[in-house]
């Protein structure tokens, strides 16, 4: 097993925010039944469908009453004013 390299943070300012680019969901939601492991389908931006899934599952299985909600969100990091990269135009999702 190789040793992990230390993380180096240089003295440049960055901002962390929620990804709001075109097509980016505010969240992807699902719920997992603790009793049996059944997971609802994942849904973009609509918690209600997932909440109804949990209620319907308990309706069919009255002893299944505990759930683990899951929410996946997307963040992005951008250069803040004063960062040398701030003046460069970046393309969302470019992966560099």
């Amino acid at each position: 097993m190789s040793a992990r390299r230390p993380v180096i943070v240089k003295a440049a300012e960055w901002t962390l925010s929620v990804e709001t680019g075109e097509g980016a969901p505010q969240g992807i939601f699902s719920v997992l039944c603790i009793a049996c492991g059944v997971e609802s389908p994942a849904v973009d931006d609509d918690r209600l469908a997932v909440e109804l899934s949990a209620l319907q599952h308990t309706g069919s299985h009255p002893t299944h009453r505990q759930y683990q909600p899951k929410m996946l969100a997307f963040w992005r990091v951008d250069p803040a004013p004063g960062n040398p990269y701030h003046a460069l135009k970046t393309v969302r999702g470019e992966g560099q």
Side-chain angles (χ1 to χ4, degrees):
M1 183 184 290
S2 63
R4 291 183 174 236
R5 293 183 180 175
V7 175
I8 299 172
V9 178
K10 294 187 179 187
E13 293 185 20
W14 298 87
T15 60
L16 177 66
S17 61
V18 173
E19 175 61 80
T20 58
E22 185 177 337
Q26 290 180 342
I28 299 174
F29 302 93
S30 66
V31 69
L32 176 74
C33 175
I34 300 300
C36 69
V38 167
E39 187 168 352
S40 70
V43 181
D44 287 2
D45 296 329
D46 184 12
R47 284 181 39 177
L48 180 60
V50 174
E51 291 168 1
L52 290 173
S53 177
L55 292 168
Q56 289 169 345
H57 185 73
T58 297
S60 299
H61 308 279
T63 60
H64 297 202
R65 299 181 184 182
Q66 292 181 309
Y67 295 88
Q68 176 187 16
K70 296 183 177 185
M71 192 268 201
L72 178 64
F74 299 89
W75 293 352
R76 66 176 291 112
V77 176
D78 289 303
N83 183 314
Y85 292 106
H86 184 69
L88 298 176
K89 181 179 174 127
T90 59
V91 178
R92 291 185 183 269
E94 70 184 359
Q96 293 182 350

